[in-house]
Amino acid sequence: MNITFNNQLLRRSQSLIALFLLCALIALLSDKFLTATNLWNVLRQISVNVCIAVGMTLVVLMAGIDLSVGSVLAFSGAVCAGLIKYGFAFESLDLFVGFTVLGGILGAMLVGLLLGLFNGWVITKFVVPPFVATLAMLTIARGMTMLYTQGIPVSNLGPELEYIGSGWLLGIPVPVWISLIVVLVFVFISRRTAFGRYIYAIGGNEKVAFLSGININRIKLAVYGLAGMLAAVGGVMVTARLNSAQPNAGMTYELDAIAAVVIGGTSLSGGVGSVTGTVIGAAIIGVLNNGLVLLNVSPFWQQVAKGVVILLAVIIDKMNRKEA
Amino acid sequence: MRKINLLSGLLLLMTFWACGADKNDDGAAKKVAVVISTLNNPWFVVLAESAADDVRALGYEAKIFDSQNNPATESDNFENLIASGFDAILFNPTDADGSIVNILKAKAAGVPVFCMDREVNADDAATSQILSDNYSGCVELGVEFVKTLNGSGEYVELLGLVGDNNTWARSGGFHSVVDEFPGLKMVAQQSADFDRNRAMEVMETILQAQPDIKAVFCGNDAMAMGALQALQAADKIGQVRIFGFDGAADVVEKIGEGKIVATGMQYPKVMAQTAARFAHEYFEGRREFPQRIPVEVELVDAGNVAGYQQ
């Protein structure tokens, strides 16, 4: 008992040590890295990935995967912008509904939730592998974004929304507040609630979880729904940051989210990992992105470097597990 | 069993439809395919939709195909549309070399191909190429850049997608001028994938490492807008001069406000219209077309911006 506990502690602190080493290395090479402005920039830049990756963590803990988050982000971001700017018309009822900024945000989150629930429904009802179901949603949601925006950005959405993307509250950027709240809520859910334990149980051994009376399908439905909703939160943040919804927003964001989850020590085969680990994983990617640009490393090498870091993280994780 | 019968019935029905469609073809309007490199970028959406609209205005059927920036998808598109009997192709290639083989496939099937915006490196494949000259456009921008900075100072460049030939045509044109001036020093060259959000993040970071830069050259206008947002947040609008490329409406507006120095105005609608007209003339019997028609990229700056604002 004691040994496994120590091992888990070691694994968790390992990604933290890696983050510190990376920071130290970049700080050594560039004296601009450890300035307050730059560190706030990094935190603000990772906040979108943190939100998406937290949802992805829950999915991966159940041994699932969600490839659709980047497209769901784009669609819900576009819906947020469209609702705020143009409202919504029920032509058959001859009714027009205008939206406040808060209304637009809630509308976007509802859209994300529904798309996520649809993923979950396809996966549980028709027993489609999550990889395939969410791959389909990746193109469906991207296509819906194109249809909704006609391929053209929706811009100039007003100062309230811009504040959410670029403003500061009590000395901390608003997007950082949002991701902080998301992280705290989901650390609590995953550690302290029955729902959270069921997620780990399903990922550990789905059959045993089923036999011990857990309603597996309901949990899965909820988790994919939450992943969609968190992607929508990311979508609102990206839209707010630019004060404009771009139809090609969020391309390949699913890969960054999966990378954060994996670097953070969550096993793709489910049952092992944590939300806090993912946050560290997202921070490692963010610091790496920032450092490579600060040091003006060629864009070609940057892609190689990111891949190498992911590989290293997974290999170290594998070796640890063998020892345990 | 009943399910299978229903399925075969459906298949049979579809075959009939297919035959019917084939027969209709002779008498009915000619069909023109618009094959576009990507629809994930507003600029190409304008190009594709203007081309389709112009074709329809001339009384033909039009259908848009998206190659998703992938020569393999493009190849599938060509095979499908040749098989389904399209009579002409208005084509925006994904790759200057990789797309040639697709054009040759259409040529072998007797379908004329008119290239728009991007060229292919062959003179005997396409019927005609109506091209936006990215390289020369950026040569002009380079000249304006040197003048604005009086030939000295540190600057950065934001590249588009590093696998895209337009990225390097633009960068190449710009550097062919700017590199002649030893006083102009490029202190960072980073990719922002033609993406506004990415450009803002990269610019935020570059500003930390290089606070003394005098200018930023961006490979498209979406990135110029992203750089503008980062510079605005850092309160450096007057100090760092911004240059874009494309002629997007929001950038033209910012040139009017004096926040962006210049952009290269491209004319997707002119290219689309010319290509559609050529297809029409081809159907009417014309066979001789100039191989390359350059559509000039016009420099927009504070001096002439009024003429471009709606």
Side-chain angles (χ1 to χ4, degrees):
Chain A
M1 221 28 212
N2 208 3
I3 298 168
T4 48
F5 175 73
N6 277 340
N7 241 302
Q8 221 177 2
L9 198 71
L10 187 75
R11 190 183 304 143
R12 200 166 289 170
S13 48
Q14 224 160 28
S15 41
L16 206 54
I17 292 168
L19 176 61
F20 277 122
L21 284 179
L22 186 65
C23 288
L25 180 70
I26 296 170
L28 211 63
L29 294 170
S30 164
D31 55 347
K32 306 294 199 261
F33 177 70
L34 286 178
T35 61
T37 324
N38 190 56
L39 292 179
W40 283 128
N41 279 348
V42 173
L43 282 176
R44 193 170 43 215
Q45 288 169 7
I46 67 170
S47 48
V48 172
N49 192 20
V50 165
C51 282
I52 305 174
V54 164
M56 186 71 79
T57 310
L58 302 187
V59 172
V60 172
L61 278 174
M62 294 189 318
I65 195 90
D66 188 347
L67 300 178
S68 68
V69 286
S71 301
V72 171
L73 175 146
F75 184 58
S76 38
V79 166
C80 175
L83 289 181
I84 291 171
K85 191 159 188 183
Y86 305 115
F88 191 78
F90 295 95
E91 269 161 32
S92 53
L93 295 174
D94 200 22
L95 181 70
F96 175 80
V97 185
F99 280 79
T100 61
V101 169
L102 186 64
I105 293 171
L106 292 177
M109 285 170 67
L110 181 67
V111 164
L113 179 69
L114 289 176
L115 293 180
L117 286 175
F118 183 82
N119 277 336
W121 180 67
V122 172
I123 290 164
T124 52
K125 171 91 183 176
F126 302 100
V127 205
V128 175
F131 187 96
V132 180
T134 59
L135 183 67
M137 180 55 78
L138 179 150
T139 54
I140 292 171
R142 181 66 60 189
M144 281 160 65
T145 313
M146 294 298 162
L147 285 170
Y148 186 71
T149 62
Q150 291 297 304
I152 292 162
V154 185
S155 302
N156 298 328
L157 307 168
E160 291 102 338
L161 192 70
E162 197 173 6
Y163 174 75
I164 292 171
S166 315
W168 294 70
L169 182 68
L170 306 176
I172 294 177
V174 178
V176 178
W177 275 116
I178 296 173
S179 57
L180 191 67
I181 291 166
V182 165
V183 168
L184 289 178
V185 167
F186 281 88
V187 164
F188 177 80
I189 288 178
S190 65
R191 285 198 193 157
R192 301 261 177 250
T193 66
F195 174 65
R197 293 208 193 97
Y198 292 162
I199 294 174
Y200 279 91
I202 291 172
N205 190 326
E206 199 170 320
K207 209 167 241 172
V208 172
F210 175 74
L211 291 175
S212 52
I214 298 174
N215 187 338
I216 291 177
N217 284 356
R218 222 166 63 194
I219 304 284
K220 281 192 177 172
L221 203 63
V223 167
Y224 282 97
L226 285 174
M229 198 183 74
L230 286 172
V233 172
V236 171
M237 285 158 79
V238 172
T239 302
R241 186 92 181 90
L242 296 171
N243 204 6
S244 161
Q246 307 281 310
N248 57 351
M251 289 259 181
T252 70
Y253 278 23
E254 61 279 352
L255 299 182
D256 276 344
I258 294 169
V261 170
V262 169
I263 293 173
T266 296
S267 159
L268 282 177
S269 42
V272 181
S274 67
V275 172
T276 43
T278 297
V279 175
I280 296 169
I284 289 178
I285 297 173
V287 167
L288 194 66
N289 274 333
N290 178 262
L292 292 169
V293 174
L294 276 184
L295 300 171
N296 195 27
V297 175
S298 132
F300 300 117
W301 278 110
Q302 290 186 19
Q303 301 182 13
V304 177
K306 278 181 229 167
V308 169
V309 167
I310 295 172
L311 267 186
L312 279 178
V314 181
I315 290 171
I316 292 172
D317 196 47
K318 276 272 176 214
M319 281 162 59
N320 272 326
R321 212 152 292 170
K322 246 179 225 164
E323 281 162 25
Chain B
M1 233 18 218
R2 258 171 65 194
K3 254 185 193 164
I4 294 171
N5 282 335
L6 188 66
L7 196 69
S8 50
L10 269 177
L11 280 176
L12 208 65
L13 201 63
M14 273 161 68
T15 327
F16 275 122
W17 273 340
C19 291
D22 267 348
K23 266 181 203 148
N24 274 341
D25 218 39
D26 296 320
K30 294 214 182 273
K31 296 195 293 181
V32 178
V34 179
V35 183
I36 220 83
S37 62
T38 175
L39 289 177
N40 277 337
N41 176 326
W43 194 90
F44 290 104
V45 174
V46 170
L47 180 69
E49 286 182 350
S50 329
D53 288 345
D54 292 334
V55 165
R56 288 187 196 113
L58 289 163
Y60 307 110
E61 264 182 58
K63 187 167 185 318
I64 298 173
F65 294 82
D66 179 6
S67 306
Q68 301 171 347
N69 263 334
N70 182 347
T73 310
E74 182 179 279
S75 167
D76 294 346
N77 281 338
F78 266 72
E79 280 162 13
N80 293 340
L81 67 89
I82 291 168
S84 50
F86 277 85
D87 301 289
I89 301 170
L90 308 189
F91 182 38
N92 173 242
T94 54
D95 186 84
D97 294 309
S99 295
I100 296 173
V101 59
N102 291 330
I103 302 179
L104 290 174
K105 255 185 260 173
K107 194 182 180 186
V111 183
V113 176
F114 302 90
C115 288
M116 302 182 290
D117 175 46
R118 295 174 171 182
E119 71 180 317
V120 291
N121 297 328
D123 288 335
D124 52 356
T127 309
S128 179
Q129 305 192 48
I130 301 114
L131 306 170
S132 185
D133 195 342
N134 284 284
Y135 187 91
S136 306
C138 286
V139 168
E140 267 191 81
L141 270 171
V143 173
E144 176 95 354
F145 188 90
V146 172
K147 268 195 266 177
T148 309
L149 296 191
N150 281 324
S152 82
E154 294 182 341
Y155 71 94
V156 297
E157 177 182 8
L158 294 187
L159 297 164
L161 288 164
V162 289
D164 187 302
N165 51 3
N166 275 343
T167 298
W168 300 110
R170 291 172 191 180
S171 183
F174 172 76
H175 283 288
S176 73
V177 179
V178 175
D179 290 359
E180 297 296 311
F181 294 81
L184 288 168
K185 189 161 163 268
M186 183 168 73
V187 290
Q189 183 185 42
Q190 289 292 325
S191 167
D193 301 340
F194 288 133
D195 179 85
R196 185 159 161 175
N197 190 44
R198 185 93 190 101
M200 180 171 62
E201 294 186 359
V202 169
M203 198 64 207
E204 282 173 350
T205 305
I206 290 176
L207 282 175
Q208 296 307 307
Q210 308 291 349
D212 300 324
I213 53 168
K214 296 273 178 286
V216 52
F217 173 70
C218 307
N220 80 344
D221 277 349
M223 294 194 292
M225 288 301 290
L228 173 74
Q229 277 178 296
L231 288 165
Q232 235 158 8
D235 208 12
K236 292 198 170 193
I237 285 298
Q239 181 202 322
V240 183
R241 319 304 301 274
I242 307 168
F243 295 77
F245 192 84
D246 271 349
D250 42 7
V251 165
V252 170
E253 189 188 316
K254 296 297 173 194
I255 293 174
E257 295 170 16
K259 290 177 177 161
I260 292 179
V261 178
T263 186
M265 173 68 74
Q266 299 199 87
Y267 289 97
K269 287 182 181 164
V270 174
M271 288 185 270
Q273 208 170 29
T274 313
R277 201 187 67 229
F278 278 12
H280 170 66
E281 287 171 7
Y282 187 94
F283 294 150
E284 304 277 293
R286 178 175 170 189
R287 286 295 177 270
E288 294 300 316
F289 292 91
Q291 177 57 221
R292 279 184 170 74
I293 297 186
V295 175
E296 222 176 310
V297 174
E298 287 175 15
L299 186 87
V300 182
D301 62 9
N304 64 359
V305 67
Y308 294 90
Q309 280 167 322
Q310 279 100 6

